[in-house]
Every structure is written in structure tokens, then in C-alpha cells.
Amino acid sequence: DTIRHLFKQIFQASLGLQEEEKKSLLISRKNKSQDTVVQVGPLAVGGGTPIIISGPCSVETEAQMEAVASHLQGEGIALLRGGAYKPRTSPYDFQGLGKEGLRILSETAKRHQMVCVSEIVTPEDVEMACEYLDVIQIGARNMQNFELLKAAGSVRKPILLKRGLAATIEELLYAAEYIASRGNDQIILCERGIRTYEKATRNTLDISAVPILKQESHLPVVVDISHSTGRKDIMFPIAKAALAVGADGLIIETHNEPAVALSDAKQQLDLDQFSTLLNQLRQSGFLPTTVQA
Amino acid sequence: DTIRHLFKQIFQASLGLQEEEKKSLLISRKNKSQDTVVQVGPLAVGGGTPIIISGPCSVETEAQMEAVASHLQGEGIALLRGGAYKPRTSPYDFQGLGKEGLRILSETAKRHQMVCVSEIVTPEDVEMACEYLDVIQIGARNMQNFELLKAAGSVRKPILLKRGLAATIEELLYAAEYIASRGNDQIILCERGIRTYEKATRNTLDISAVPILKQESHLPVVVDISHSTGRKDIMFPIAKAALAVGADGLIIETHNEPAVALSDAKQQLDLDQFSTLLNQLRQSGFLPTTVQA
Amino acid sequence: DTIRHLFKQIFQASLGLQEEEKKSLLISRKNKSQDTVVQVGPLAVGGGTPIIISGPCSVETEAQMEAVASHLQGEGIALLRGGAYKPRTSPYDFQGLGKEGLRILSETAKRHQMVCVSEIVTPEDVEMACEYLDVIQIGARNMQNFELLKAAGSVRKPILLKRGLAATIEELLYAAEYIASRGNDQIILCERGIRTYEKATRNTLDISAVPILKQESHLPVVVDISHSTGRKDIMFPIAKAALAVGADGLIIETHNEPAVALSDAKQQLDLDQFSTLLNQLRQSGFLPTTVQA
Amino acid sequence: DTIRHLFKQIFQASLGLQEEEKKSLLISRKNKSQDTVVQVGPLAVGGGTPIIISGPCSVETEAQMEAVASHLQGEGIALLRGGAYKPRTSPYDFQGLGKEGLRILSETAKRHQMVCVSEIVTPEDVEMACEYLDVIQIGARNMQNFELLKAAGSVRKPILLKRGLAATIEELLYAAEYIASRGNDQIILCERGIRTYEKATRNTLDISAVPILKQESHLPVVVDISHSTGRKDIMFPIAKAALAVGADGLIIETHNEPAVALSDAKQQLDLDQFSTLLNQLRQSGFLPTTVQA
């Protein structure tokens, strides 16, 4: 029994040693106690004021982006999103406008004094994308596309790294470390829901991941409330939960005409719904009432 | 193509018919638009002010319960919990004090002008338990113990019904309907985390379940932040998230000496930690500052 | 580095100590190296020859059971199943015929020189059920209904214990230990699929569980190929896989008129399909060609 | 009620229409009823005789590969595997030898009259890899790396496509369609276990996926029994199950010195264990006794 007790202590010590190893990760809170603040144009992601990233799932046309961006600008939103390279389950689904989509996104954002983010899906496009984008997104399906992570680590652009559909919190941290280990420490982590048996939501938002990520790492963490739920009807409570739990920002998909969107039609808010949501969040004190989100 | 369009409309109509069936559930929001408020002694669960349920995982001794209850009373907590019948994975683990545990819990609560809740695990104990308890809990492992649900539906006591480890939101609602269909509509639903591949938390708190349950049903919903996370270090953010998302209350396990607790030693807060958490929630506006939680 | 190496060895030793504890489980292979053979009438479950358990999901009428049993007897099947107490998601679904169902099942089996198995869902019915049944089934939703397990441990009837929808292999073994610890070691374990994100099958058959259970425990293990897949169209390959992996038997749901069955209509084989499957298994050498399965 | 009945029929018809769409997939069985046989050197994958793919997790040295290959050749194995580009959770783990690894693998295979397969992780390496490899593997983490899939579709090499850790069967089929839609129909699907809550195995082998994939598609399907289980001690029963369920082949990791392997040390068989397994499979009739696996 004393032996058992002794062994338990030694067991704990062994775990401690393993912790030691993790401490040395560049992205670890143990390695740097202060929060990393990722500056994106006028926005300080992780700087204490939550940010809002919004825009359509896919960039479809100039007119669509103009409609969305002008509305978002009017609401004080500074960070415009829009997919140009779309990872789609079927090869016969709309695949995005590619480079042309990046151009539309970028020009629209500039016209409205906004900054922009879009997903890049292959290493060779990373450098090109830097010309158009203020933040490069690595999507859920590519969280362990390590060559893409390395490419993202080699440029000097902020990276928005989404958690994989079935990735553990630890794997997400190691994915971020791939980027950091190449010299780019401007990383924003994103919880976007994980795959479980529950079908009432598109994915299961793992809200606990947010404080754990912020505890384990010094990187900012945002929550994609559109993909994690896949439902418009619970956006307000989920947005509040995400902000209350400590998220540094939200991703909210918006579209000028969701019903005819070329992807994710069901989960994108229309522009009025977005304004309503924003007002609710501001009036209930979950978002500051001043300009930029 | 017109045929396809037509069929899509008919398909939607078919889904509508299936919805029709659900509308008739007693616990459905469609059947009763107003929130059900479950009155437990002085507490109105679901009445707009979030409640706190607290106490140890297991009732162990009179002294332990006295220590916990007097502290909780001092903090303005009105609803005391403590397990007497413990569903444990191994038959060789502590199984709870049984009826003696209910007696200790009940007398301790009365001594402190509190009300109490405890889990009952078999139909034949339900009636007996009514003498001791103000709320009868049906635990996660018994969410589809339908005989127990029926027995709980036959008494006139509030029931705290926890979601099963791998139960869908829909299955939880139907489990509640088992109780309601027997005549007992005093039901409090509880989200307590679901089983997923993620191991950083004991379970994955499905925060989206709260607004969905409240939308689908008129019953109050509480969140067990101890079992869903299994970690003390994220209690404050998770409590905030649960309240922000619209939970009608929280379950927080507390123990006067967690280190020597006979079950769930790792996740129970000690009394000081509990007071700190409560203060944080009150100061940040997530809980009212007046007495009873 | 030597310290790290040393610690790793001590770590291993610690794990060894924990193994020590498991060794003492009554159902552990370490405690009894020889296979337990559960004798059910003429059948030796775990005795080397795989057995077949068949019959409808629910006992509905005398005529239905007669039709099924006479067909099964003609095929040399000795163990008849049929649900009398049905754990159903909705209280408004068919709940089974109860005791009357047990009577019909029992008399039908006797008339055909068969033995029978049915699920019991509450402790107080266990003793009564012993009069009717040759094997008492504890279903997936009740795998951690510990009072039911204890009641099953107190009688002298073989128990068919199904794995819970989200139970680990370890939890299934501990559930069996609940029964064994009360003095009943006539336990047959059943793998019946676990709940995952995959929706092509009703559940995900965890085929690896079979050899692991047989390695960890001396108890026989059968596979429910109907519930684990929920599809008729892959019965033959799945039956072969289950037998090849070392299962001591199969559960195959059959119905004389699946299309009008009161439960699980989709997954029950009709009697011709069952005969075809049996022939295929016999001709391919996965089942012996002699009488009884 | 007649309306309800009518609607149910129309509902079925609607589902039929959706099926219609799937029928047009190039990889669909409905589009081509005959099995696709992928010829890899002397091996006809999907031709009726199950094949064995074996070799170490990672190519480490010439000596290691020589030791493994000469042993495998002696056992009649024709298809050598070995990882050169290793997708590893941590950037500080061994990342593989890269192109040098491909060279070693390729030359070793040729020296032993074997063919070889290795994983490529980024589109730009696909063409280069064709010089070294007889089959290009796309790994689980890259199953939805669509640019990689497109690159694989543009060459004329057989592709071994592994199911993602949390990919549905349907998503795997669509991933294969990405390859086929670019003109390469030489695709071998691989079930390698999915991520679930169960921790007794590294992943949960979804055995039902094999017959479903073979039913839905005309492509050959192999099972990776090393990654799906992560345990050496159940290799024989799992190999039998995989072959019994209809797999066209097995992947079995082998290493001359597993204890010092640079990756997956725990799950690789040593050469003697591999020979024993092979003998068991041949003697029990699950593999033909003649040369090539």
C-alpha cells in the first residue's frame, strides 16, 4: 500500500515530465504568458475587444460582395470573409471562383475600408494569396494538411486556423505549432464544432475548447457560430455563449440572398437578420456599442 | 425539372406532417407556448432567475453534509444536492449510502432551510424517495430506463432529468414525454455533456442543446457544469457560457474536502473555490447579486 | 535522460499495478483462463460451435410467433427470441405485450422444442421472468441499470448482456462483473454496435470488441448483426465477419411479415431471407451444416 | 390517413430521385456493375484473390527496408509499403525521409521483384512520385485535400485512398469521385478505422463499411488492420474478419525492429509475427496457400 502510494506519486511526476515537453511549444502559454494580439489592419484580435468576421460562405459575384460589404461596413464590421477556394464534398458542387474570387473579395474590402480573410487550400497558393488577403484561413478539412501549415508558417500574414472536424484540442495546438515553428506566430485559432452523433446541429460546438485553448496557448481564439451549429434559429444565444466563454471574436456567415446562395444556403443570415443579431448582442452588453463590432 | 421541383415541395410537406406528430407532445413548445416554471420550495426554476444546485457528488457523512450545507446556505444557495444511490462503473466502487443517505441529505437541508435533490435509480424507490426529496433526479445512465421514467411520472414531485451520455436531443425530449404522459409535468431538463472522442474534457458540453431544448419544449433547462467538463479550471467561463446561452440554472458539485471525496474527487470544487466562482458570476452580472443564487 | 528512461519504466510498473486490480475481476480471463460455457437447454454457448439466436423484434401475436418458430425449428435453430418489454424512444410507440408476450414466447418455444430469450427492463420483473425464459436479456439502454444487473446476478438463469450504445468495452466488462459479483456467472456478452457519426448504418459494429472481450474475459460473446447494422443488405458479409472474428454466436432478427412489424420493420429478415442467409453461411463453411445452427 | 400514406409513397419517390443523382457518379456501382480490377504489377487488386500490402510505417534506412523486403518477398508478398512523407501530429516528430525515402523504397522493391506504395501529401509531389511508386497513397488526413485528389486524378497511377478519421462512407465515395472525375479510375479504397469514444483500440474499425463500399461502388476495398486497431494482439481475428467481410486485401505494418521504429512502434508486427499471422491465415483458408499473399 505504501508502494502503491509511492508509485502514484512517481506516476504524477512522470506526467509532469511529459508536461515539460509541451512547455517548450512556441504556442504554449507556458512558453509565453502574455496573450498574443494579432493585428489585422485596424483590428487587434485577442486585444480584449471581441471582433466579428462576416460575409458570405462563397464569393459569387461583384454585386453580391458589394451588397454584403456595404451593409457590413454600415454596421461597423471591419473584417470581411468570403470563400474563393471551396472544399466541397462533391466534385460536382460549386468549387468557388478561385483567384478571381480573391480579387473580388480584396477589392470589395478595400472599397469599404475593410480587411479580408479567405481560405487557401494548397501550399502553392499561399504566397499568391498574400497579395489579396489580410488573413489567410486554413479550413477544418486542412487542419492536418501539414504542407499547407508549413507554407502558412513561411509567410508574414496572420493565419486563421480552424479546428478539424474530428481533431482533438491537442491536435489543433500542434497544428498551430507547425505554423509557429516556421516563424509565423500571427495565428488565430478557431473552434467550429466537431463531428458527433448528434444531428440536431450540423456539428457540436465544443464550447469548452475555448477556455482550454486560451489556457494552454497564448493565441487568440474565435468561434464560428455558423458552421458549428448550421442553424440560424439559435445564433443569438450561441453568440452570447461564445463571447461569455471568452472567445476573442465570432465568425458569422451572411449573404444578401441566402436562399439562392451557391453553398451553405441554410445557415447564412440575411443582412437584416445579421443587423438584428448585432443589435441584440450590443444591447445585451455582449459586444461594445462603439464602431467595429 | 419541374417534377423535381414539385417533388421537393411535396417532400417539405411530408416533413411538415411529421412535425405535426411532434406538435402533440405534451412537453412540446408547440403544445404550450408559455414556459413551464417548476416550483421547488422557494425556488421558481424556469422563472427567469437562474438557480444554483450545489453539494457533493456523494452523501458521505452527516458532518460532511453539514459542512457543505452551512457554507452553501451562507452563500444564499437554496437547493442542495448529494448522491445516495450512486451508479458506478465498477461494483467494487463506493455505491452510496442509500436510504440513509437520503435521510442525511433531507435533514441537513431542512436544518438549513434548503430544499434538496438526489438521484433515484430504480422504479420501486421513487415513492419512498418522495418523503425525503424535493426533486427526484433521473441520471444520465437511466435516461432511457423507461420504467423509472414512468414511475417518476406517477408521483407529484419535480423531476430533474439528465441527458444520457449518448442520447440525442430528441431522445431526451421523448424521455421527458414518458414522465409527462403519466401526469407529471414538473420536469427540469439537464444538459450534462455527451460522449465524444475528445479527451481534454470528461464529456463534451453540448451548449447548443440548451437553446434547442428551450425552443422545442416549454420545460426549464439547467446545465451540469461539473460532469460536462470534469475540470475545475474552466468552471468560471463555462458557467458564464451556460447562463449566457439561456440555462435556467447550473449544477455545480462542491465538497468540503474534495481530495478525499469517495467519488468524482477531481471535479468537485472546495467551498472556497465555490464562493469565488459565485462571486465572479455575481460581479460579472451573470447571476443576480441578491440572495438565492 | 536516464531519469526519463527510469521514469518510463516506473510508469510501466504503475500501469502494471492497476492491471493487478483488474485481474481480480471474477469475469476476467486472468482470474480464470478457461472459457466459460453457458448451457442453455441443448445449446452450449461458448463451447466452440457458434449458435444462432433468432426471432422477431417484438412478440406481437400467437400466430406470428408460431409462424416464425416453426420456420426456425425447421432450420435447426434452437434459441428463439422475441421482445415483450420494449424500450422505445417514444411513449406512444408500441411498448410490447409484457407478461403476456413472455407467455406466448415461452409456450411457442416449448411447442417447438426450442429455448427462449427476452429482454427484462426492471429489477422486479427478473424473478417472474425466470418462469418463462431460458435466458434473460439485459438490453443496451439498461447496460448500466445497476439495480437490474444486481437482480440478474441474484437468479440462476443465463444472462445475455448487451453493450450500451455508448459504452466502452471496459464498462461492458464491469457491467458483467455486477452480475457475477452477485453469484451468477452464466453471462453471455453481446456486441450490438455503438453510436458514432456514421449514418450509413444504424450503429457502428465494433468488430474489434469481440476478440478484445474474449481476451479480457472468459465469457462467451455473441454479435447482434441486426441492430448493429440496421440493414438487411449486408447481413451475409457481416455474419461471416462476426463468425470469423471469433463470435460464439449471432443474433438475427426475423419476422414472418417484416413490412408490418410493430418495431424495427426495416431490419428484420423475412423467413425466406433468413433461410437463404443460413444456407449461405453453411455452404461457405462459416456455420456447421448439421442441425442447430 | 390516406393522405399520410400517399405522402409516404411520394416521400419514397423523392428519395428515389436523389438516388438518381448518385447513380451518375463515375465510381458508382449503378454506373458500372462490374468490379474494377486495379492492376499493380503482377497483382490484380479486386480480382478475387485478396492481396497483402506490407512494410514499415516509415522508411528509415536502406538496411531496414532490405531486411523487411527480403523477408516479405520470402513470404510471397508482392506489394511493399513504407512512408516517406509522414503526416505527424507534432512538427517535432520524425517527418520521414522525403524523396530519399521514395528512392530507397522503390529500389528495394525492384531488387526484390516487388511493387511499392507510399503516401504523397501535397499536389506538387504527385508527378514526381510517379517515377518511384507503383501506387500512390492518399492518407486519412488528406482524404478531403481536394487539390491533392485532383492531382491524383490527373496521373495514370493507381491510387490507394484511405478513409478520413471522421469521414462518412459517402464522403469517401465522393473523394474517390474527385479522382475519377479527372480521368483516373484506378482507385483502391481503404477502410482504416474511424474516430469514436472507444479507447481500447486506436480507432474503431468500421467493418460494415467494406460491404457497403463494395455495394455502392465498383472499386476494390482493402482494410488497414494496423491503423484501425493499433493493437498487435488481435491481428489474426481482425484479419479474418476483414477477409470474411469481402475485403480485397489487407494492409499490415511490419518492421524488422518495431521497438525502435521511428513511428507507430506499438502497432507494427515484427517479421516473425508477420510470418505467423500469414501462416495462420493460409492454414485457416482465409488466404490462398499459393505465392502472392
Side-chain angles (χ1 to χ4, degrees), chain A residues 88 92 166 171 177-178 195, chain D residues 88 92 166 177-178 195:
Chain A
R88 302 299 299 276
Y92 308 122
E171 288 168 344
E177 185 73 9
Y178 264 94
R195 195 165 260 190
Chain D
R88 301 301 297 275
Y92 308 121
E177 184 73 9
Y178 264 94
R195 196 164 259 191

Side-chain angles (χ1 to χ4, degrees), chain C residues 208, chain D residues 165 192-196 201-205 227-230:
Chain C
S208 307
Chain D
L165 273 80
R192 47 76 74 209
I194 60 174
R195 196 164 259 191
T196 72
T201 43
R202 181 169 173 185
N203 294 289
T204 297
L205 172 57
H227 281 91
S228 52
T229 62

Side-chain angles (χ1 to χ4, degrees), chain C residues 14 35 53 57 96 129 138 168 188 192-193 218 224 261 274 288-289:
Chain C
S14 298
D35 285 351
I53 303 172
C57 179
I138 294 180
T168 62
I188 304 164
R192 45 79 70 210
H218 49 78
D224 181 339
F274 178 73
T289 49

Side-chain angles (χ1 to χ4, degrees), chain D residues 75-233:
Chain D
E75 290 288 4
I77 304 300
L79 185 37
L80 183 67
R81 61 151 285 142
Y85 298 93
K86 303 298 305 171
R88 301 301 297 275
T89 300
S90 165
Y92 308 121
D93 286 340
F94 174 61
Q95 306 275 314
L97 300 181
K99 197 170 170 177
E100 172 67 4
L102 294 186
R103 187 193 59 73
I104 294 175
L105 172 67
S106 172
E107 291 182 3
T108 310
K110 282 201 187 98
R111 216 158 47 233
H112 292 280
Q113 289 82 53
M114 299 174 80
V115 283
C116 65
V117 55
S118 196
E119 178 171 359
I120 296 303
V121 296
T122 198
E124 61 184 6
D125 285 348
V126 168
E127 208 144 335
M128 172 275 288
C130 290
E131 294 173 38
Y132 296 101
L133 301 174
D134 301 288
V135 180
I136 290 173
Q137 178 181 313
I138 294 180
R141 282 166 190 73
N142 283 309
M143 192 203 83
Q144 290 194 320
N145 182 338
F146 298 114
E147 295 307 309
L148 182 57
L149 295 174
K150 290 176 194 167
S154 306
V155 295
R156 292 296 160 271
K157 275 282 174 188
I159 306 297
L160 176 63
L161 176 64
K162 291 188 133 188
R163 182 180 183 183
L165 273 80
T168 62
I169 291 171
E170 189 178 38
E171 287 168 343
L172 173 55
L173 290 170
Y174 274 113
E177 184 73 9
Y178 264 94
I179 301 170
S181 69
R182 295 291 167 127
N184 185 355
D185 61 354
Q186 300 296 293
I187 305 164
I188 304 164
L189 302 174
C190 177
E191 159 63 31
R192 47 76 74 209
I194 60 174
R195 196 164 259 191
T196 72
Y197 68 86
E198 175 61 67
K199 291 294 157 190
T201 43
R202 181 169 173 185
N203 294 289
T204 297
L205 172 57
D206 182 7
I207 197 88
S208 309
V210 179
I212 293 173
L213 287 170
K214 289 193 72 72
Q215 210 164 269
E216 297 277 322
S217 160
H218 49 78
L219 299 173
V221 180
V222 300
V223 173
D224 181 338
I225 63 172
S226 296
H227 281 91
S228 52
T229 62
R231 296 173 64 133
K232 294 181 191 183
D233 57 356

